[in-house]
Amino acid sequence: MKNLKVLMTAFIAGLGLLSFTSVGHEKEGSQKVNPASAKGYEVGDAAADFKLKNIDGKMVSLSDFKSAKGFIVVFTCNHCPYAKKYEDRIAELDKKFKDQGYPVIAVNPNDPNVQPEDGYKQMIERAKQKGFTFPYLVDEGQKIYPLYGATKTPHVFVLQKENGKNIVKYIGAIDNNYDNPNDVSEYYVQDAVNALIKGEPVKMNKTVAIGCTIKVKK
């Protein structure tokens, strides 16, 4: 009888543990995935096209650029000090490579409710003030930056058109000195695009993006 009681106690305890474990897994599985935790693309992946609103009110897609050979997709914003430091260099990249088939496509991934300086009206004002010559798109609903895996502003993805797809060729920072363009010794994006234009492999195809964290809707 004593042994039977011991066995029954162990059995009941086991059921309780199993029930607790099941509930724990159910709660974990029901949690919403934070977009910032999305894996994103790796070099060699095919990047998805998108259709986002530009500062002129028009919807813009990568497929709109029929003659492009690829793209310099830059996730950036208005308020971030790092993004501001790079604005002129982003404009220079567009000026240098747009006519060679690699235009800049800038995307603001931040939620304006979290960071009001990155609102749509503020984007229009900033683009006018800086004389942007490239599309400056708003990632409404924050659906695109998680697909790409952007985590910072700025964060660059160099794409090349191959067999109707946009293949990722470089991911990371623009260069190796955000603070002073005169002290740059490694031009990551420029070197990557130049290699693609020449039909050569990109030697440095991934670096760590330096900038502000993307402001996610709470």
Side-chain angles (χ1 to χ4, degrees), residues 103-121:
V104 164
I105 309 294
V107 179
N108 177 5
N110 286 342
D111 185 281
N113 293 315
V114 180
Q115 179 47 258
E117 289 182 52
D118 292 328
Y120 184 64
K121 290 182 179 179

Side-chain angles (χ1 to χ4, degrees), residues 20 25 48 52 73 80 85 99 111 115 146 148 196 205 212:
F20 176 81
H25 280 302
L52 301 174
V73 177
C80 174
K85 288 277 187 179
D99 291 341
D111 185 281
Q115 179 47 258
Y148 277 68
L196 295 176
N205 60 22
C212 302

Side-chain angles (χ1 to χ4, degrees), residues 50 52 73-77 105-110 123 135-139 144-145 153:
F50 45 74
L52 301 174
V73 177
V74 184
F75 291 90
T76 187
C77 66
I105 309 294
V107 179
N108 177 5
N110 286 342
M123 289 173 61
Y136 189 21
L137 314 177
V138 56
D139 186 4
I144 303 305
Y145 89 80
T153 53

Side-chain angles (χ1 to χ4, degrees), residues 29-183:
S30 65
Q31 290 177 348
K32 292 182 179 180
V33 177
N34 188 329
S37 67
K39 181 178 180 294
Y41 296 131
E42 295 292 342
V43 172
D45 289 346
D49 197 353
F50 45 74
K51 192 170 188 178
L52 301 174
K53 186 166 68 173
N54 191 17
I55 49 173
D56 61 3
K58 297 178 180 179
M59 303 301 289
V60 173
S61 299
L62 298 181
S63 58
D64 295 335
F65 298 80
K66 304 299 183 184
S67 61
K69 299 174 183 176
F71 304 93
I72 303 170
V73 177
V74 184
F75 291 90
T76 187
C77 66
N78 292 347
H79 88 279
C80 174
Y82 295 88
K84 289 179 178 179
K85 288 277 187 179
Y86 273 115
E87 283 175 327
D88 291 340
R89 279 175 272 184
I90 292 171
E92 283 298 316
L93 286 170
D94 186 60
K95 182 179 179 181
K96 182 179 180 65
F97 292 116
K98 179 160 52 180
D99 291 341
Q100 299 185 68
Y102 290 84
V104 164
I105 309 294
V107 179
N108 177 5
N110 286 342
D111 185 281
N113 293 315
V114 180
Q115 179 47 258
E117 289 182 52
D118 292 328
Y120 184 64
K121 290 182 179 179
Q122 289 77 8
M123 289 173 61
I124 295 172
E125 292 170 2
R126 190 65 181 174
K128 184 177 181 180
Q129 179 185 351
K130 296 297 296 184
F132 287 174
T133 57
F134 46 84
Y136 189 21
L137 314 177
V138 56
D139 186 4
E140 290 182 308
Q142 298 188 299
K143 297 176 181 178
I144 303 305
Y145 89 80
L147 287 178
Y148 277 68
T151 59
K152 304 287 185 180
T153 53
H155 202 154
V156 183
F157 294 76
V158 175
L159 314 179
Q160 184 177 41
K161 285 185 180 181
E162 293 181 2
N163 301 318
K165 296 181 179 180
N166 295 308
I167 306 300
V168 180
K169 296 294 183 177
Y170 170 83
I171 302 171
I174 293 171
D175 55 44
N176 70 340
N177 195 311
Y178 83 89
D179 190 48
N180 191 343
N182 296 321
D183 292 335

